[in-house]
Amino acid sequence: MKATGKPTINDVARAAGVSKKTVSRVINKSPQLSEKTRKQVEKTIADLGFVPNLQARAFALRRNFIIAVIHDNPNAQLLVNVQQGVLEGIADTEFGLMVQPVDRTSPTIAEDIREFLERQRPFGVVLLPPISERDDLAELCREAGCRFVRMGSVKLDEAEHTVTSNDREAVREAVTYLIDKGHSRIALIEGPPGFTSPRERRGGFEEAMAQAGIAVDDELVKPGTYTFESGVNAGEELVRMTKPPTAIFACNDEMAIGAMIAARRNGLLIPEDISIVGFDDTPLSSHVWPNLTTVHWPIVDMARAAAKKIIGPPEQAASAEWLLPSTLMERGSVVPPKAK
Amino acid sequence: MKATGKPTINDVARAAGVSKKTVSRVINKSPQLSEKTRKQVEKTIADLGFVPNLQARAFALRRNFIIAVIHDNPNAQLLVNVQQGVLEGIADTEFGLMVQPVDRTSPTIAEDIREFLERQRPFGVVLLPPISERDDLAELCREAGCRFVRMGSVKLDEAEHTVTSNDREAVREAVTYLIDKGHSRIALIEGPPGFTSPRERRGGFEEAMAQAGIAVDDELVKPGTYTFESGVNAGEELVRMTKPPTAIFACNDEMAIGAMIAARRNGLLIPEDISIVGFDDTPLSSHVWPNLTTVHWPIVDMARAAAKKIIGPPEQAASAEWLLPSTLMERGSVVPPKAK
DNA sequence: TTGTAGGCGTTATCAT
DNA sequence: ATGATAACGCCTACAA
């Protein structure tokens, strides 16, 4: 009768003595059903061990039960954290997780994404920075009928489609923390130009300095690209200055650790000779010595929140929290500057 | 006529003046079709811009066009590399990539995987180590009607279901390289007990030493867990010995770098005072200074090969290569030992 | 509140 | 080699 050996909606309908539409209504938790019928059908479902066929539902609804993470981000730890967060968000549901990298520099990126969406028809999409900032790509999701959430460092869309961290505020807090420790010659290692998160982080740095009435010394602001090497390079330049900074804020942990290596290679002790603060709170930050004081970026929480917005009712997504705060993790890489 | 606005197989059939089954045969490259009909239908397909609906095909075939990576592996870089490899393998096909982590320590792992396979019905599954070693989980894939490939450090299954690296041989080569440089007091930092890859890597170490007629000094074999910290700990113990080793082989890069940190913290220069070799060739190995000499683990290639085995014809999978060689990457962390 | 009829887009079966 | 017809399992629209 059934090729797969599994009961279908028809089997349930027959066994329960109702139509399959009624069974369908039970599956989909339709509100207009007598309590009696619902209970009875639910019992039959349980008795038969019926599990609705996801592919058939997907076919009828023209939507797969899948959340896709679309990204153009080379950072392995970030990706895995996002995946973990999404998986937590869809735990105990019928949803699965797909991953689709794209090439930001490709002229066909929009076409590539459209094709992906039309092929796989994911229920929803999580867009990671930096491509989450592109309105045209978000529009693509809307056109394809996908729910979507854009992750970033600033609010990119309506609450329904946004999950962000408050990088600016968190950095301001971190730099203020350095200032409160007594530092005033504070260096900044920037992130790659042209992206929002580095800009926000730099903004927070400047705000903290301005708030404390300290002028930002351009000599102490070094470019970086979020890579370990760029942190080493910037660190080298900083510690070799005739009057080096007493503290460094790096826009991510990898660069902060690069700067640590550079400082140490030049004979400086950390934190005694120079304090260092990072951003992200990657596992590495607890692995180096001294443990890196850094800003915890709640990327797992953000991804979980994004997934829940997508699979939950739209009105709930609109009212749900979209700001997940970054917070300072005080560890071992900061002390007050040496008295001169 | 068509709700989605897209042409369906019916539209093609009508326009081409054939039955939809014939169109289906063209889509599926059925061999028994007259060249003339095929050409004509193909032209109609192109004219109409017809793209077969993946969900409908999936429904009819009871298989989604998806490759799932099932894993219980905490290493972010490994996961991302595997994902990249699989994506390369399915590039320009209609397949997508799903990711499903599982908990190795959970008693319900088999049930969890079965449920996932029955829910999402992936076309194929890539099993990562260490769970790829469990025959019962592979059997689960077979029962669920999924193609599958098991990745590992030894041949775990028939060629059709296997992609492996030759860790043992590669380590033997790496340690022989150290011996050829003049080292004889060579330490080993092991991987976590109970898994195959650490066992193979240790085996390669022992074989190289035996081949050179050097007895393995148990004092110089330290346990590790593949983590940075365990490398630091093992490294500390080794360099503090009254007669420390002149070289260390660590079973992965993270531990090798941990050992580098430990050595340097104890006043040793690398490679002058102590040579270090790792395994994996993670990005980090080219980021530290000196660049780490390490064994390149071809994980991306392995994953690509796995994906191709899965989506290609079975007979091809059986005959395709299943062994991807690991090779030594000579960089800056090895020199001959100091003359006494 | 519940049921009937029909459709979603493809593949499989079995003719011809 | 090709076609007619019936699945596949669910959902929507409309009717009762």
Side-chain angles (χ1 to χ4, degrees):
Chain A
M1 184 170 310
K2 340 142 214 176
T4 63
K6 290 172 172 297
T8 74
I9 198 171
N10 283 312
D11 299 317
V12 176
R14 199 177 314 122
V18 299
S19 75
K20 55 185 189 173
K21 180 60 211 177
T22 300
V23 179
S24 171
R25 289 196 176 97
V26 172
I27 296 170
N28 294 292
K29 305 191 193 310
S30 163
Q32 50 214 37
L33 261 178
S34 78
E35 199 54 31
K36 181 164 160 268
T37 313
R38 153 167 293 127
K39 282 274 195 299
Q40 178 199 346
V41 173
E42 277 173 349
K43 182 175 183 321
T44 310
I45 287 176
D47 289 348
L48 266 53
F50 166 68
V51 179
N53 180 316
L54 215 55
Q55 290 175 299
R57 300 187 71 194
F59 179 45
L61 291 169
R62 294 175 187 71
R63 280 290 126 220
N64 277 313
F65 289 84
I66 282 176
I67 306 294
V69 171
I70 300 183
H71 72 91
D72 171 36
N73 199 304
N75 187 281
Q77 191 62 55
L78 169 74
L79 282 179
V80 171
N81 283 345
V82 167
Q83 293 177 13
Q84 185 197 322
V86 171
L87 285 160
E88 288 176 13
I90 62 179
D92 300 319
T93 72
E94 46 208 342
F95 287 90
L97 167 66
M98 288 194 74
V99 185
Q100 182 63 31
V102 295
D103 180 359
R104 175 175 59 232
T105 65
S106 163
T108 60
I109 178 173
E111 208 37 59
D112 295 343
I113 292 181
R114 183 201 304 282
E115 206 169 285
F116 169 76
L117 295 178
E118 286 179 357
R119 263 199 204 303
Q120 296 292 348
R121 301 213 191 171
F123 185 87
V125 172
V126 178
L127 289 163
L128 261 48
I131 59 158
S132 57
E133 294 166 15
R134 286 186 49 171
D135 292 327
D136 61 330
L137 302 185
E139 187 53 35
L140 230 47
C141 297
R142 187 177 276 119
E143 284 167 13
C146 299
R147 307 279 297 271
F148 66 94
V149 168
R150 305 163 72 177
M151 284 182 37
S153 310
V154 297
K155 193 160 181 289
L156 295 162
D157 208 315
E158 311 151 40
E160 182 184 348
H161 301 297
T162 307
V163 173
T164 74
S165 54
N166 58 342
D167 289 21
R168 179 179 288 257
E169 201 177 319
V171 172
R172 189 169 61 216
E173 188 188 322
V175 175
T176 300
Y177 166 82
L178 283 173
I179 294 169
D180 289 347
K181 287 278 184 185
H183 293 276
S184 57
R185 281 190 65 73
I186 305 174
L188 172 69
I189 304 180
E190 293 193 272
F195 297 105
T196 300
S197 85
R199 190 172 64 236
E200 287 299 303
R201 293 173 191 188
R202 172 172 183 147
F205 177 84
E206 287 168 345
E207 286 179 17
M209 296 293 269
Q211 212 167 304
I214 306 174
V216 173
D217 182 350
D218 283 345
E219 293 278 298
L220 294 183
V221 177
K222 298 294 177 191
T225 57
Y226 276 171
T227 65
F228 177 85
E229 290 102 321
S230 71
V232 172
N233 295 339
E236 285 280 353
E237 288 186 37
L238 289 169
V239 299
R240 286 179 176 172
M241 292 173 70
T242 47
K243 196 182 168 195
T246 62
I248 298 175
F249 176 80
C251 280
N252 78 352
D253 285 349
E254 282 201 52
M255 295 194 298
I257 290 166
M260 283 177 77
I261 303 276
R264 196 168 288 132
R265 195 190 297 165
N266 283 271
L268 296 188
L269 293 176
I270 299 164
E272 291 79 0
D273 295 321
I274 190 163
S275 292
I276 298 184
V277 176
F279 195 111
D280 279 351
D281 192 21
T282 60
L284 207 58
S285 66
S286 322
H287 288 170
V288 292
W289 191 258
N291 289 177
L292 183 67
T293 293
T294 188
V295 177
H296 174 72
W297 192 32
I299 189 69
V300 176
D301 303 317
M302 289 166 70
R304 191 193 309 110
K308 289 194 165 170
K309 282 200 185 222
I310 288 172
I311 64 176
E315 59 279 9
Q316 190 173 310
S319 63
E321 191 55 73
W322 52 267
L323 179 67
L324 284 287
S326 297
T327 52
L328 186 66
M329 310 296 289
E330 294 190 42
R331 294 207 263 256
S333 62
V334 173
V335 293
K338 279 183 177 168
K340 298 227 186 69
Chain B
M1 183 168 310
K2 339 139 209 174
T4 63
K6 292 172 172 295
T8 73
I9 199 170
N10 283 311
D11 299 317
V12 177
R14 199 176 315 122
V18 298
S19 76
K20 56 185 187 174
K21 180 63 207 177
T22 300
V23 180
S24 172
R25 289 196 177 97
V26 172
I27 296 171
N28 292 292
K29 305 188 193 309
S30 163
Q32 49 213 34
L33 261 178
S34 79
E35 200 53 31
K36 180 163 161 270
T37 314
R38 152 168 292 127
K39 282 271 198 281
Q40 177 200 347
V41 173
E42 276 172 351
K43 181 173 184 323
T44 311
I45 287 176
D47 289 348
L48 265 53
F50 165 68
V51 179
N53 180 316
L54 215 55
Q55 290 176 297
R57 300 188 72 193
F59 179 46
L61 292 170
R62 293 173 187 72
R63 279 289 123 225
N64 278 313
F65 289 83
I66 283 176
I67 306 294
V69 170
I70 301 184
H71 72 91
D72 171 36
N73 198 304
N75 187 283
Q77 192 62 55
L78 168 75
L79 283 179
V80 171
N81 284 344
V82 167
Q83 292 177 14
Q84 186 197 322
V86 171
L87 285 159
E88 288 176 12
I90 62 180
D92 300 319
T93 73
E94 46 209 340
F95 287 90
L97 167 66
M98 288 194 74
V99 185
Q100 182 62 33
V102 295
D103 180 358
R104 173 175 61 233
T105 65
S106 162
T108 60
I109 179 173
E111 206 39 57
D112 295 343
I113 292 181
R114 183 201 304 282
E115 206 170 285
F116 168 76
L117 296 178
E118 286 179 357
R119 263 199 203 303
Q120 297 291 348
R121 300 214 192 171
F123 186 88
V125 172
V126 178
L127 289 163
L128 261 48
I131 60 158
S132 57
E133 295 167 15
R134 285 186 51 171
D135 291 328
D136 61 330
L137 302 184
E139 185 53 36
L140 229 47
C141 297
R142 187 176 276 120
E143 283 167 12
C146 300
R147 307 279 296 269
F148 66 93
V149 168
R150 304 162 73 175
M151 284 180 40
S153 310
V154 297
K155 192 158 182 290
L156 295 161
D157 208 315
E158 311 149 40
E160 181 184 349
H161 301 297
T162 308
V163 173
T164 74
S165 54
N166 58 341
D167 289 21
R168 178 179 290 257
E169 201 176 319
V171 173
R172 190 171 57 216
E173 188 188 323
V175 175
T176 299
Y177 167 80
L178 283 173
I179 294 170
D180 290 346
K181 288 278 184 186
H183 293 277
S184 57
R185 280 190 65 72
I186 305 174
L188 171 69
I189 304 180
E190 293 193 272
F195 298 104
T196 300
S197 85
R199 191 171 62 234
E200 286 300 301
R201 293 173 191 189
R202 171 171 185 149
F205 177 84
E206 288 169 345
E207 286 178 17
M209 296 293 268
Q211 213 167 303
I214 305 172
V216 173
D217 182 349
D218 283 344
E219 293 278 298
L220 296 181
V221 177
K222 297 294 178 190
T225 57
Y226 275 170
T227 66
F228 178 85
E229 290 102 323
S230 70
V232 173
N233 295 339
E236 285 280 354
E237 288 186 38
L238 289 169
V239 299
R240 286 180 179 173
M241 292 174 69
T242 46
K243 195 182 169 195
T246 62
I248 298 176
F249 176 80
C251 280
N252 78 351
D253 285 348
E254 282 203 50
M255 295 195 298
I257 290 166
M260 283 176 78
I261 303 277
R264 195 168 288 131
R265 194 190 297 165
N266 283 272
L268 297 189
L269 293 175
I270 300 163
E272 292 79 358
D273 295 321
I274 191 164
S275 292
I276 299 184
V277 176
F279 195 111
D280 279 351
D281 193 21
T282 60
L284 208 56
S285 65
S286 320
H287 288 170
V288 291
W289 190 260
N291 288 177
L292 183 66
T293 292
T294 188
V295 178
H296 174 73
W297 190 34
I299 190 70
V300 175
D301 304 316
M302 289 166 70
R304 191 192 311 109
K308 289 194 165 169
K309 282 201 184 220
I310 287 172
I311 66 177
E315 59 279 11
Q316 191 174 310
S319 62
E321 191 55 73
W322 52 268
L323 178 66
L324 284 288
S326 297
T327 51
L328 186 66
M329 309 297 289
E330 293 190 42
R331 293 208 263 257
S333 62
V334 174
V335 292
K338 279 183 177 169
K340 296 227 186 69

